[in-house]
Amino acid sequence: MTHILAIDQGTTSSRAILFDEGMRITATAQEEFAQHFPQSGWVEHDANDLWSTTAGTCRAVIEKAGLTGADIAAIGITNQRETTVVWDRHTGQAIHRAIVWQDRRTADYCAELRAAGHEPMVAARTGLLLDPYFSGTKLRWILDHVAGARDRAQAGDLLFGTVDSYLIWKLTGGRVHATDATNAARTLLYDIRKGRWSATICDLLGIPMQMLPQVRDSADDYGHTRADLFGREIPIRGVAGDQQAATVGQACFKPGMLKSTYGTGCFALLNTGDTPVVSQNRLLTTIAYQLDGKPTYALEGSIFVAGAVVQWLRDGLKMIRHASETQPLAENADPNQTVVLVPAFTGLGAPYWRPECRGAIFGLTRSTGPAELARAALESVGFQTRDLLRAMRDDWAGHGAEAVLRVDGGMSASDWAMQFLSDIIDAPVDRPEVLETTALGAAWLAGMHIGLYPDQAGFAATWALERQFLPQMSAELRSAKVAGWTRAVEATLAF
């Protein structure tokens, strides 16, 4: 058994990637699934789609590689975080569509909790803010809006989980209801210092604690798959939320190391070691990974819309057919136009945390066209990252945070976007040879746990640079661009 199967269940697609004993990619399979938008600011997934595309891509990648279940030593799972699923313990069927991390329907309830003075207590225990981004208020909404759900939950008939928990339940045929510490830390229900679910917060939100999964290490025993799925029972041995898995995959094991992943959203994590740093800039304190019962903490900045802005150009405006078209468009944009896009389609994340905001475009002229909009879209990701890194440096002042940013995710493949990112943050940007760092992190956790892959030091030694981007923009131009972005954000917040 020489391969690790990494499941990467994301916001817009499910992927399965096989890694060999040298942690090299053998084969990949991917399948997109439907996004549901019942109302403005609401985002849902059909839980059956999450499961069927996951199982389907796992079977497809094994067949594509010419392997069988007998060749798979273990499975690692990484997943979109905060997305909330509630299902029947007896049938395994979800009682409502999964409410996605981008969903803002509980914004008013979060505002009520803040107004009542609960945010300091919640932040002290969870490291999070009272925002609809997190799972806890989504779970409450399902219990309040699905007929009979609260009674069934109190009777022990309903289970809650983030996507990893739901997949583990389905993969194991209902034998294991568990999550890892990184996913638990994103629910708004988990005390990241004490390492347990918070009864105080569950009482506040009206969450029956019997619904919650058992919390385990990121590299741990999560049971075995049903034999009928892949021809044999395969052990599940690694689990981490997607941004934490990417942190692991980028080998950011030392305090001060920093990575940013550009997928549907953008998420920057700064390793702070065994110390949970309390942000003064409305960043999140979270768990980067947990091994041998010991959590390693991180500061996180969360941007809700990164790659999703390119999807908007493609699917919303129908301006492009493929994401790859944005780079040549941006390269040909009129340098004399200053178009700024604030992509607050589902609110503004860190460091603003304004769920009621909506997107805005500034600087349009009669000659503004697809090229200028494409450039503004790519630049918006760099500007938002700059906001996060400035906040992180303020919070981590004096601790020697590295100036280099390690990047990954789909948008990091764009040379133009990464060069602009380096220019606007005025720091080097390192892109690794393996861009599939999220899946690699999940694979390494599982492979390390069973002894197939090396320990942390050995794994870190395998990290390889593909390209480093260095700042080329003049200080004068950078200052002007940042000033334009700042004015645009202030206007968006005011509107």
Side-chain angles (χ1 to χ4, degrees), residues 53 178 224 233 241 262 314 441:
T53 55
H224 290 72
E233 292 189 355
Y262 297 94
R314 183 192 69 186

Side-chain angles (χ1 to χ4, degrees), residues 134-146:
F134 307 108
S135 311
T137 59
K138 301 179 194 296
L139 172 53
R140 178 191 169 96
W141 188 95
I142 291 174
L143 293 177
D144 285 346
H145 288 82
V146 175

Side-chain angles (χ1 to χ4, degrees), residues 292-331:
D292 299 320
K294 181 183 177 183
T296 294
Y297 295 96
L299 275 174
E300 177 176 329
S302 307
I303 296 168
F304 299 144
V305 174
V309 74
V310 176
Q311 291 175 325
W312 174 69
L313 296 178
R314 183 192 69 186
D315 302 335
L317 298 186
K318 304 198 183 303
M319 199 180 80
I320 57 174
R321 291 186 177 181
H322 303 287
S324 59
E325 296 173 29
T326 54
Q327 177 161 325
L329 281 171
E331 291 171 343

Side-chain angles (χ1 to χ4, degrees), residues 145-160:
H145 288 82
V146 175
R150 186 168 295 282
D151 289 340
R152 292 168 66 192
Q154 290 171 341
D157 292 329
L158 297 183
L159 300 177
F160 154 76

Side-chain angles (χ1 to χ4, degrees), residues 245-283:
T247 304
V248 169
Q250 287 277 34
C252 290
F253 294 131
K254 296 179 180 177
M257 295 187 75
L258 177 66
K259 76 90 200 176
S260 190
T261 297
Y262 297 94
T264 302
C266 164
F267 303 87
L269 266 76
L270 173 67
N271 184 325
T272 64
D274 57 9
T275 305
V277 174
V278 178
S279 175
Q280 304 304 311
N281 295 284
R282 295 182 69 76
L283 299 179

Side-chain angles (χ1 to χ4, degrees), residues 167-176 222-226 236:
L167 294 181
I168 291 166
W169 179 268
K170 299 292 279 188
L171 285 165
T172 62
R175 289 176 293 184
V176 178
Y222 288 87
H224 290 72
T225 64
R226 292 166 15 209
I236 304 169

Side-chain angles (χ1 to χ4, degrees), residues 349-386:
Y352 307 101
W353 293 108
R354 291 286 292 275
E356 73 279 7
C357 275
R358 291 297 176 261
I361 304 174
F362 298 88
L364 296 175
T365 71
R366 283 287 299 271
S367 58
T368 299
E372 289 72 36
L373 289 176
R375 181 183 64 190
L378 295 182
E379 286 185 343
S380 74
V381 179
F383 286 129
Q384 291 180 100
T385 305
R386 181 184 180 277

